[in-house]
Amino acid sequence: MASRDVTHQSDISKMKVEADGSFKRAASQFRNTIEEGGQFPPEKDRYHLYVSYACPWASRTLIMRKLKGLEDFLNVTVVSPHMGTDGWPFASVDSFPGAEEDPLYGSQHVKDLYLRADPTYNGRFTVPVLWDKKQHTIVNNESSEIIRIFNTAFNKYIPEDKAALDFYPTELRKEIDEVNEWVYDRINNGVYKSGFATTFPAYRAAVLPLFEALDRVEGMLAGKTYLIGDRLTEADIRLYVTIVRFDPVYVGHFKCNIRTIRGGYPNIHAWLRRLYWTNNAFQSTTDFEHIKTHYYWAHTTINPHRIVPIGPVPHIEPLGEPGRL
């Protein structure tokens, strides 16, 4: 569909860094919401979610969709992890196991959706994409906002037990927001700032705060099941998607190797395994083959031979003996 050269938006090898070699993530540009009386009202089967299992930001939305029981309310299409010069491909272009074709428009790449929504779009072609099938446009491509949309927007239309689940409760919002802010900057995005740095000073300036933040999380989880309060919140969801990728990808690929999760953070490790092994919303949306293939295949400036490592073995360790972690 593109009539202009958009490879600077789709080809990650052309991604620019700052003059000091540091990586700065651009803000998402589609920031609408789903609400009663708004441009995008809540309706069953009106919206479609495009994701990659590989992408931590997209995985947030898959987890929340599952937790809220929205599987029958809005469908999902999964792209191939082989993100190349044209960005994320659909299965019609790259038939990686688990990838799917675009059921709405037969798009070849995610970029086609962006250019359908706005032919002048000049940002990166990222996932997740929350799409409106009636107006044929993108509602939102910011994962932190999509998970909040899923948390409340469809409550009138789903079973009461699912509607009652609130992962951003009013009484915990201040604490959740505070934790989200530094977890995003130092951990969620910190691994990328470490991995995409092109100078040692830029790398050091990112990786040391990353591990300081992990040390802080380790302390927060001492004797606790969840990060905030005595309940699962969006803060856990947002942290999980980075931690589950940490040992399989970020330790080696992004040089975040001061400590591993399994070897250096017993509280975080226990928290991670509990979420993965006891809550299907986390396990069913985590696909290690997509995750590892994407990072090691797509980032040719870091891994030019595209060799995907075998380990760690196992990708995530078991809970252990009954009643013990």
Side-chain angles (χ1 to χ4, degrees), residues 110-141:
V110 167
K111 71 174 183 178
D112 299 335
L113 296 169
Y114 277 84
L115 298 175
R116 180 181 291 272
D118 179 5
T120 66
Y121 176 75
N122 62 1
R124 293 197 62 81
F125 304 116
T126 58
V127 288
V129 172
L130 181 58
W131 184 268
D132 177 16
K133 294 190 286 186
K134 282 193 173 180
Q135 298 185 52
H136 305 284
T137 194
I138 298 173
V139 179
N140 199 298
N141 69 335

Side-chain angles (χ1 to χ4, degrees), residues 155-209:
N155 281 349
K156 287 174 57 176
Y157 306 92
I158 59 178
E160 289 185 7
D161 61 326
K162 295 296 185 181
L165 297 174
D166 185 2
F167 301 98
Y168 187 53
T170 302
E171 68 275 15
L172 296 178
R173 287 183 181 181
K174 183 176 184 295
E175 190 174 357
I176 290 172
D177 289 344
E178 290 173 351
V179 170
N180 282 347
E181 183 175 5
W182 60 263
V183 165
Y184 166 77
D185 179 55
R186 296 193 167 201
I187 300 178
N188 298 143
N189 202 37
V191 293
Y192 286 92
K193 290 191 288 185
S194 301
F196 288 151
T198 58
T199 65
F200 181 79
Y203 161 72
R204 188 178 189 277
V207 78
L208 294 183

Side-chain angles (χ1 to χ4, degrees), residues 40-217:
F40 303 101
E43 295 177 16
K44 185 176 182 179
D45 198 34
R46 172 168 176 167
Y47 302 99
H48 195 89
L49 185 65
Y50 291 95
V51 300
S52 165
Y53 284 135
C55 173
W57 319 104
S59 293
R60 294 173 171 185
T61 65
L62 286 174
I63 293 168
M64 186 66 83
R65 173 178 173 268
K66 185 82 170 181
L67 288 169
K68 291 292 292 189
L70 296 174
E71 298 97 315
D72 295 330
F73 210 84
L74 58 98
N75 292 328
V76 167
T77 296
V78 178
V79 299
S80 166
H82 285 145
M83 186 178 73
T85 56
D86 290 309
W88 296 104
F90 289 100
S92 55
V93 174
D94 188 275
S95 57
F96 191 89
E100 300 168 314
E101 297 186 7
D102 175 18
L104 301 184
Y105 309 103
S107 307
Q108 293 188 330
H109 297 88
V110 167
K111 71 174 183 178
D112 299 335
L113 296 169
Y114 277 84
L115 298 175
R116 180 181 291 272
D118 179 5
T120 66
Y121 176 75
N122 62 1
R124 293 197 62 81
F125 304 116
T126 58
V127 288
V129 172
L130 181 58
W131 184 268
D132 177 16
K133 294 190 286 186
K134 282 193 173 180
Q135 298 185 52
H136 305 284
T137 194
I138 298 173
V139 179
N140 199 298
N141 69 335
E142 170 50 55
S143 65
S144 63
E145 295 174 0
I146 295 174
I147 64 173
R148 291 189 181 174
I149 291 171
F150 289 177
N151 187 46
T152 59
F154 302 107
N155 281 349
K156 287 174 57 176
Y157 306 92
I158 59 178
E160 289 185 7
D161 61 326
K162 295 296 185 181
L165 297 174
D166 185 2
F167 301 98
Y168 187 53
T170 302
E171 68 275 15
L172 296 178
R173 287 183 181 181
K174 183 176 184 295
E175 190 174 357
I176 290 172
D177 289 344
E178 290 173 351
V179 170
N180 282 347
E181 183 175 5
W182 60 263
V183 165
Y184 166 77
D185 179 55
R186 296 193 167 201
I187 300 178
N188 298 143
N189 202 37
V191 293
Y192 286 92
K193 290 191 288 185
S194 301
F196 288 151
T198 58
T199 65
F200 181 79
Y203 161 72
R204 188 178 189 277
V207 78
L208 294 183
L210 162 63
F211 280 89
E212 290 170 0
L214 288 173
D215 293 344
R216 185 175 177 181
V217 172

Side-chain angles (χ1 to χ4, degrees), residues 140-297:
N140 199 298
N141 69 335
E142 170 50 55
S143 65
S144 63
E145 295 174 0
I146 295 174
I147 64 173
R148 291 189 181 174
I149 291 171
F150 289 177
N151 187 46
T152 59
F154 302 107
N155 281 349
K156 287 174 57 176
Y157 306 92
I158 59 178
E160 289 185 7
D161 61 326
K162 295 296 185 181
L165 297 174
D166 185 2
F167 301 98
Y168 187 53
T170 302
E171 68 275 15
L172 296 178
R173 287 183 181 181
K174 183 176 184 295
E175 190 174 357
I176 290 172
D177 289 344
E178 290 173 351
V179 170
N180 282 347
E181 183 175 5
W182 60 263
V183 165
Y184 166 77
D185 179 55
R186 296 193 167 201
I187 300 178
N188 298 143
N189 202 37
V191 293
Y192 286 92
K193 290 191 288 185
S194 301
F196 288 151
T198 58
T199 65
F200 181 79
Y203 161 72
R204 188 178 189 277
V207 78
L208 294 183
L210 162 63
F211 280 89
E212 290 170 0
L214 288 173
D215 293 344
R216 185 175 177 181
V217 172
E218 177 73 5
M220 290 176 63
L221 286 171
K224 294 174 61 179
T225 302
Y226 302 110
L227 275 175
I228 297 171
D230 191 26
R231 59 192 291 182
L232 178 66
T233 69
E234 71 167 44
D236 296 286
I237 297 169
R238 288 170 55 128
L239 178 64
Y240 168 87
V241 296
T242 299
I243 300 302
V244 79
R245 289 163 172 77
F246 203 88
D247 288 2
V249 173
Y250 302 142
V251 168
H253 187 58
F254 279 172
K255 306 177 187 67
C256 301
N257 61 354
I258 294 177
R259 285 178 290 282
T260 63
I261 298 300
R262 66 189 66 196
Y265 293 102
N267 295 334
I268 299 177
H269 192 210
W271 165 89
L272 169 68
R273 288 177 292 151
R274 277 194 299 265
L275 289 176
Y276 181 87
W277 291 111
T278 67
N279 192 322
N280 184 254
F282 291 85
Q283 183 175 159
S284 66
T285 58
T286 302
D287 188 309
F288 288 106
E289 292 308 311
H290 276 242
I291 289 169
K292 289 171 58 177
T293 298
H294 165 65
Y295 283 95
Y296 287 101
W297 190 94

